[in-house]
Amino acid sequence: QVYLVESGGGSVQAGGSLRLSCAASGNTDYRNYMGWFRQAPGEEREGVAAIYTPSRFTYYADSVKGRFTISQDNAKNTLYLQMNSLKPKDAAMYYCAATRIYSRSPLYQYDYHYWGQGTQVTVSS
């Protein structure tokens, strides 16, 4: 079992920054891939960024490349998402997720088995 708790969401103006955190616990075998996903009202959940934790290899959606950075702190068992140059279209509920292995893509939500409760990000123009 894996337990994930997100924090760090909030309200920010366009162009601003936020850093999301995800505190993880439980079986590390099921945390080989960890990702950040987001879901805006009326839209499907989409993958934003993911990391292969043994090597720290990262994956990003085109929409956030160059603006968002995913990272991990193994000593704190925490995953981060640094979000810079935020845009109104980045506003969503952000979720942390974990899985042992993926079959389609590290950014494909149905490849992930463990989810946090989410943290809300609001971006005003």
Side-chain angles (χ1 to χ4, degrees):
Q1 185 72 348
V2 175
Y3 302 92
L4 305 170
V5 180
E6 303 96 333
S7 61
S11 296
V12 65
Q13 288 191 326
S17 298
L18 281 175
R19 189 177 78 158
L20 305 183
S21 299
C22 172
S25 60
N27 194 328
T28 55
D29 288 342
Y30 291 90
R31 290 189 262 156
N32 281 341
Y33 292 88
M34 296 193 71
W36 287 99
F37 294 76
R38 66 187 181 188
Q39 187 170 22
E43 298 189 14
E44 191 167 346
R45 190 173 299 185
E46 64 170 344
V48 173
I51 189 167
Y52 179 55
T53 57
S55 68
R56 300 176 185 250
F57 191 86
T58 57
Y59 309 82
Y60 293 96
D62 288 343
S63 58
V64 306
K65 279 181 182 176
R67 299 190 298 123
F68 290 11
T69 302
I70 188 171
S71 63
Q72 63 189 56
D73 184 331
N74 291 339
K76 296 182 179 179
N77 283 313
T78 301
L79 181 74
Y80 300 101
L81 184 68
Q82 178 67 43
M83 304 186 296
N84 298 329
S85 302
L86 281 161
K87 305 175 181 180
K89 64 181 180 180
D90 294 318
M93 184 71 81
Y94 281 72
Y95 298 91
C96 173
T99 191
R100 185 177 67 86
I101 191 170
Y102 70 88
S103 61
R104 175 171 168 174
S105 164
L107 297 178
Y108 183 54
Q109 62 164 321
Y110 296 109
D111 276 337
Y112 284 78
H113 298 99
Y114 300 99
W115 294 85
Q117 83 289 350
T119 186
Q120 182 70 45
V121 172
T122 303
V123 184
S124 57
S125 57

